[in-house]
Amino acid sequence: MKLTAIIVLATTALLLMLYPLWGLLHPESYGAVLQAEFDLTESIAPDLVQRSAAMNWAPNGILASAFVCLAGFVARPGRRIHAHWAGGCLIVYPLVRSIADGLSGLNLTSHSPEPEFALFFGGENLVYMVFGLAVLGIASAMPLPEETEH
């Protein structure tokens, strides 16, 4: 069961890091997703789509790091540093995601006379922060290996 959890977490991290490649390799189809996400009515130039797709690597990298650290914690629960890093990454992720989305929106509207930069921080973002705090709480509540031997 432990191995399955590690494989799922590592695979998820890998997929998160590969996702932006879709926008780099196929900007036409990824552009349609960006149009819907940012509520744009006109088509987006492929270079702008690629730039916005590349911006996803920062938040995706943080979330992937959280999953890799969770895999490390599952593999060796005594090493709480993995859980602390995972919790920290989950707490920081929504902030970085919001900034990346704002910069992506600015990038996609850069050709218009009034480029738009908007930060959005909704309830969905709080879920990541709450889970990050939960992971930190779990890690802090677990006894150290030397405490369990006595």
Side-chain angles (χ1 to χ4, degrees), residues 16-29:
L16 278 168
M17 293 310 294
L18 290 175
Y19 180 73
L21 285 176
W22 172 28
L24 296 176
L25 300 175
H26 299 286
E28 300 80 22
S29 64

Side-chain angles (χ1 to χ4, degrees), residues 93-94 97 101 120-131:
Y93 168 74
R97 169 96 262 154
D101 285 346
F120 177 75
F121 196 83
E124 166 185 315
N125 293 331
L126 292 177
V127 171
Y128 291 99
M129 293 179 140
V130 168
F131 275 109

Side-chain angles (χ1 to χ4, degrees), residues 10 15-17 19 35 41 48 84 94 104 130 138 143:
L15 291 174
L16 278 168
M17 293 310 294
Y19 180 73
Q35 279 181 296
T41 55
L48 296 178
H84 289 154
S104 186
V130 168
I138 290 167

